[in-house]
Amino acid sequence: MKRGGGDTDQNSSEEGTAEKCKKLRTTSEHSQACDWGNLLQDIILQVFKYLPLLDRAHASQVCRNWNQVFHMPDLWRCFEFELNQPATSYLKATHPELIKQIIKRHSNHLQYVSFKSHFISALTVVFVNSKSLSSLKIDDTPVDDPSLKVLVANNSDTLKLLKMSSCPHVSPAGILCVADQCHGLRELALNYHLLSDELLLALSSEKHVRLEHLRIDVVSENPGQIHFHTIQKSSWDAFIRHSPKVNLVMYFFLYEEEFDPFFRYEIPATHLYFGRSVSKDVLGRVGLTCPRLVELVVCANGLRPLDEELIRIAERCKNLSAIGLGECEVSCSAFVEFVKMCGGRLSQLSIMEEVLIPDQKYSLEQIHWEVSKYLGRVWFPDMMPTW
């Protein structure tokens, strides 16, 4: 009995040892299968593209394979700089020296660059060394006219998109230099103070391709401190003859008394956004001067009904397909008439319920059915803004 028991214990021990060896082999095979250092570089490249710059730099120190991917040109076609955090807080900010090292090595690979930085040195390095930029977005960065001249000298044949926001050191002459030299420019976004008759005429020259998108931000922080100039109608006419299909998008953040220079004659605006309160008179002028209008958003107007203004816009703006109204007032009858005139071309109709004022003809319950009938689809007023 003892011998038999001993044999049983021995067999159990051997089986346990074999099971442990099997688990070790499985663990070893699994470890080899998940060897991150030997992943295909194309896979690592796709992962790196989603990482912020500082995380990319840290990941490049893991192994030689990852470091090689870190320096692949395809990784640096698109580059976004966000350096608004103070440089003393390295947990939140990217050190400028790292930015400059990357740019010096890969600036000739850059094609799509977005800047939001106070470090002009990084921007200068890009402009000096890049040769094939096609898309450039600059936001809240101290770029100036000499910097733009360097940009144009190196990238005039490739630049197709330029968007600038909060760049107070750039003058109309600086942006005019870009338009004069970059004949392939198809999209442009800038502040209104950079817009000039000369710029529109430069964009309308025979050498220049047809512009597809022009965005203009008309912004005032303090009423009365900024003088807004007037663009001549002849300049707009020349511009639209050259680029008849252009989207002209205008964002207005003005006070009511600052609208006087605008909408005094016909302009080719296709998209209008009023971020602050706009007067009944200005909206009336929009209906008379913007026949190409496609989209209109009014965040606030006041307590005077916009019945006549909406009807005029429906009559004159035959391409209107989207409208949003916030803190405004419109009678239910006028609103139904507006929708009836526009018909099914209104693909987006975002109207706050508080905007609609019941009258003798329609209540809030009835307007839902009437508007749905003319739209050809079910429609309800919005409970909150959707734009």
Side-chain angles (χ1 to χ4, degrees), residues 63-133:
C63 62
R64 180 177 298 177
N65 189 33
W66 288 26
N67 186 265
Q68 291 174 350
V69 174
F70 181 73
H71 292 293
M72 290 175 65
D74 284 348
L75 184 61
W76 305 105
R77 304 290 185 201
C78 181
F79 198 13
E80 182 171 351
F81 300 85
E82 296 239 3
L83 299 174
N84 281 338
Q85 299 292 340
T88 54
S89 177
Y90 295 122
L91 294 177
K92 296 181 179 180
T94 304
H95 198 285
E97 286 302 318
L98 175 59
I99 295 285
K100 288 193 285 187
Q101 290 176 21
I102 297 301
I103 293 173
K104 285 181 179 179
R105 181 159 183 171
H106 298 288
S107 57
N108 59 323
H109 304 140
L110 296 175
Q111 293 180 353
Y112 312 98
V113 178
S114 177
F115 272 101
K116 191 172 183 180
S117 165
H118 294 295
F119 298 101
I120 187 63
S121 56
L123 184 71
T124 303
V125 174
V126 169
F127 286 2
V128 169
N129 294 281
S130 62
K131 305 296 180 184
S132 58
L133 281 180

